[in-house]
Structures are given as structure tokens and as C-alpha cells.
Amino acid sequence: KDENQDRGNWDNKADYLLSCIGYAVGLGNVWRFPYLAFENGGGAFLIPYIIMLVFAGLPIFFMEVALGQFSSLGPTSVWKFNPMFKGVGVCMVVLSAFVGIYYNVIIAYTMFYFFSSLTSNLPWETCDNWWNDGSICSISFVPKDIAGNIESTLSRNLSTLGCPEFVKGKSRGVSPTEEYWKNYALHQAPNINTENTGVPNVNLTLSLIVAWIVVFYSLIRGIKSSGKVVYFTALFPYVVLLILLIRGATLEGAYDGVQYYIGSQSDLSKLKDANVWKAAATQIFFSLSAAWGGLIALSSYNKFKNNCFFDAVLVCSVNCATSLFAGFAIFTVLGHMAFKLGKPVNEVVQSSFGLAFVVYPEAIAKLPISPLWAILFFLMLFTLGLDSQFTILETVSTAIIDSFPRQLRNRRWQLMLLLSVVMFLLGLVCVTDAGIYWVDLIDHYAAGWGLLFVAVMELFGVCYIYGGNRFIEDIEMMIGKKNWWFWLYWRACWFFISPLLLIAILVWSLVTFEPMKYADKTPYPAFATAIGWLIIATALLFIPVYALVSLVKNKWSLYKVRLSKASSPAADWGPYIKQFRGTRYANMAEPAEALEIAKGRTDGKDNPNFAEDEIGNTKL
């Protein structure tokens, strides 16, 4: 049934759309966007956020899905349209691989908390555990079992737990959720220094193993298996967010949380602050997962005539709506938490790990049947992370298979097993006592300004070397002819607005660069900073290397004709399937990947296992 017998296609469009939505909608939509909106003007933050979506996020998103669908090639092979820039595609894959190493560690955190929630009482509710420090641990909310007692009885109960004195409903010291996160879940060392690393944490290591097993079996048959898993992993988070929103809206103080989120805290004067625009651009860019190569990989399995324009607009809209929706679900509960504590909402809000594994678990512990809410919340985070991890691994595997189609096309599951084992072993340093520092370090550098540079190079390679108008003609071969006005917006963005915005953000990031600190408190030593820059250099180095290789292959010369030849499309650039090449690509050479696969079929004609291709159901 597949249109592309060599690579395979999505079984139906829903598989593809849910995979793209799952890839774009990740953990950052739940724990990063609400905090950024709160910190940067509340409702006013939506203005720069939407502007950045329209003029930076959506244009690059559409460009990447169109490239992948037109060529039916992954993020490295797709650069046949400009061989000199192939290093940009390799850089995408390398950065995705770095992210895949630590991203599954975060998924392991959510799995660890999920299993910890399968109890009658949540383990982070009290201070009487071995991981608590009785001198600083503080119950920051009224325990459910003594909520009706008078203050003297409450004080006595708390003192028996070894907690500081409870005074007028306020707490001091460290909350039990924070001690559970740092002392029990992470065994967190004071810094990243090697002497504090220790051996891998047994609980987190087991959770990491389970996470990789789930990822491996979900991708064992490529898009044919992952396309079915996403029906649960992409849709389940919306069910949980809706349940949390309904429950949160019924709690006391919920309205105060919403007001702090996008209501009375809306401050239009914040729009004068360049940092607000930088935060909006960074969030929308990373949230859509553009420039990682994953969108190219997913779209390469589309049918040629698929309406990729509609897909790009739909996925981007759903992604941004999800961010806004998640903020309401989170802040209604945080508003209730602030009400119970007698504090303003801004004193209980944290970003990233603090919101997911400290503040929100503390708020959940206040709800009736708290283990149920904890199970739902962490299962939601688990599924959100899985969707993104699926595409990260699919990006890496697709790039490798496209490079060695004859050898690997029929050995997909062996390649996925090898990737899973190698990335698991590399991720073990992230589950040691200093592991959280390594997670933060890799995230900061692998998903930092290097990605912005890749995006600028991608725009430059497509629009100014391959040719933006030529690229538009390619797109019209898939979605049909459009009038000049339809393309006016896309031309303006691809040629001018998007690259200028990204360059401005990139320059601003470098000008305002400061040495990295964990949680803005613990500075990283020189060796860790050097490793961070090495991560970026390892990826970006492929860009000049492949450019030089391309020039050498074309008999290196400074003459313009040589440079032009090195950056001209390859002879086999164009639609993968012959029937869609039309007159524009009538003289196109057969793709090298197709020739390699054909050769493999001939070489393997006596192999009894060669009756099926890599997706296990198409007879060759």
C-alpha cells in the first residue's frame, strides 16, 4: 500500500500529524511556557510570542516539512539540493543525538516519580523520612490528617516529625518535596566536580533502562510502530491537562493563579524589554522543534501530494494553543497552593525542574486522593517526553539509514537496539550524584545558540543558494499552484524577516553571554564549561568540514565556477518517485539510495529473509 516502496510511508495522515504534534508539544510546554509568561508580563507576553510564531517559527517549520516531503530523504541526505551545506544537516543530527542522551534521563525522572506515587500516601508529604534533615525540613502546608485540629495540636504533631516550629500558617526551611527531589530522587551532589560524581543511582538507572526499553519497542519497526503508539502518547496529555484544569478551577484560590498567569499581572511596559522578545523567540523556536532535523525526518515518509502547508499551520497552532492551555491547568493549582500557604503566587512559582518535581508535587500533596493526581501528572509528563524522544531517535536512525541504505534498510531494529544501548551508556553519567548538573549542562549548550546558527544557515542555503523561488516551485509540485499573494508572506519571511530575527537573537545571546550557573546559583567549573563548548564545536565543525570536502571533490579552486558547482544540486536531487518528477525533473538521475537498495535486492535474492523490507509487510 505504500507509495514509496523503498522507504515506506505513514499508514495514514493521522499517524503523521500526531507524531508531529507529539514532537512539537513536549515538556517545555508544561513547565517552561507558563513560567515565562508569568515572568514576562503575563498576557502581554502573548504579543511577542505570537509575533515570533508568525515570523520565525512557522516559516522554518513549513520549510522543513516541505523539504522532507519533496525529497523523501532524511536531514542529511536532503542536502543534495546544496551539497556544500550538507554539514548543516549532519549538525542537526549530532545535536539531536546529544539531546536524546539526556532527554531520556528526564523521562526516567518522570517514571521514577510515577512509580513512587503508587502508594496510599505520597512519600514527599512528610519530614519523618531518612532523607529529610529534621533541622531544616518544613511542612509548608497543613497535613490532611490533622487539618481540623487547633494550632497547638498542629504544632505538637509537627514537632514530633522533627520539623521547625509552625507559626501562623507560614513555614521556614526546606519543603519535604524539595528534600525528596534532591536527597532521595537525585542524591544530588553539591557541584559537578568529578569527585562528587559517584556511581549511578540505582533507582534512576532502573528507570532509565525501562525508559529506553519503551522507546526501543515503540520504534522497532520505525514509523509503522511509532505511528500507532502516538495515538496514546500524543492524546493522553490533553486528557490529563483537561482533568487538572477542571479540578484546579474548583479549588479555592484558582482565580488568583489565573490572574497571576495572564490576568492582572499583564504588563505592557514589559514589551520595551529586549529580554522579553528574546524569551519569546527562544521559546517558540525550541517549542516547535525546528532546525533539529526531526521535522524533515518525519515528513520524509509522507506521500508526495500531501498538503504539507495545512500540516505546518495546524501543528504550529496546536502547539501554541497547548502551551497556553497548559498554563491555565498549572496555575489554577498553584493559585490554590498559594491560597493555602497565605502567600502570593509568585512565591510558589518556579521554572523547569523546580515546577515539575518540587512545586507541583507539593501542590498535588494538598489535594484529596493525592496519589491519584500524582499518578496522572507524572504519567502525563512521561508521555509528553516519549513523543519527543521518538522523533529524536527516528531522526538519528533515518540519517544513518539514508547514508547506508543497502546495509541498514532491512536491519532497522538492530540499528535501533544499538542506538538505544549506546545512548543509554552515555546517559549513565546523568544519573550519578552529579547527574542533574550534566543534564543541565548538555541542555544549555546542545539546545542553545548553536541551534540558532543552524537555522540561519538553513535559511541561507535554501533561499540564497538553492533559490527561494525555485523552492516554491518545488512546493507547488506537491500542493498545487498558488497565486503570487499567497507566497508574498512566505517570501518575505524566508528571505528577510526570519533570518534577520534569528541573527538578532543570536547576536544578542552572544553579547549577553554569561558563564553558566545551575539554577542561577551554583557556578560551573572551567572543565564543565569547556565540555559545553566542545559539544557545540563537535556539531558545528561538520559545517565547514563538509563545505571543504565539497570544494575538494569539485577540484578546489577560488574561481566562481568551482564554488558554484560545489553548491549546485546533485544530479539525483528531486522527487524520489519517478512518477512525480514531471518535466522539471525529467532528466534527474535515479537517487543513489534507490540504486543502493536495488543493488541490495539483487545481492540478497538468495536470502530467504529478503522477502520483506524494513517495515516487515511490503513484498519486494
Side-chain angles (χ1 to χ4, degrees), residues 131-188:
W131 59 81
N132 297 121
D133 184 341
S135 64
I136 61 172
C137 182
S138 168
I139 301 293
S140 57
F141 56 87
V142 180
K144 295 189 292 292
D145 58 337
I146 54 177
N149 290 1
I150 60 175
E151 185 172 327
S152 59
T153 305
L154 175 58
S155 299
R156 267 198 318 274
N157 277 277
L158 291 175
S159 64
T160 61
L161 299 179
C163 295
E165 182 183 1
F166 186 87
V167 182
K168 296 181 180 180
K170 295 185 178 181
S171 63
R172 55 191 177 91
V174 179
S175 68
T177 53
E178 186 171 353
E179 287 207 326
Y180 182 81
W181 165 243
K182 292 182 176 179
N183 298 343
Y184 183 68
L186 298 179
H187 293 180
Q188 186 174 337

Side-chain angles (χ1 to χ4, degrees), residues 242-261:
L242 180 61
I243 294 173
L244 291 175
L245 176 60
I246 295 173
R247 176 54 182 156
T250 63
L251 299 172
E252 292 180 290
Y255 181 72
D256 294 335
V258 174
Q259 286 288 88
Y260 268 88
Y261 176 38

Side-chain angles (χ1 to χ4, degrees), residues 2 17 50 70 79 174-175 200 250 331-332 393 397 470 542 556 560 591 608:
D2 289 332
L17 288 176
I50 293 174
F70 178 77
W79 287 90
V174 179
S175 68
T250 63
F331 268 81
T332 51
L393 265 292
S397 63
R470 184 179 185 176
F542 286 100
W556 165 268
K560 184 178 179 180

Side-chain angles (χ1 to χ4, degrees), residues 390-411:
F390 288 163
T391 304
I392 290 171
L393 265 292
E394 189 64 47
T395 300
V396 178
S397 63
T398 296
I400 297 174
I401 290 173
D402 281 350
S403 299
F404 306 97
R406 180 160 59 98
Q407 295 83 356
L408 298 176
R409 186 73 64 182
N410 300 307
R411 296 179 175 85

Side-chain angles (χ1 to χ4, degrees), residues 38 40 53 74 114 166 190 261 311 384 490 519 550 573 598 612:
F38 167 76
N40 294 286
L53 165 67
F114 170 78
F166 186 87
Y261 176 38
D311 298 343
L384 278 173
W490 300 104
S550 180
W573 161 254
E612 297 179 340

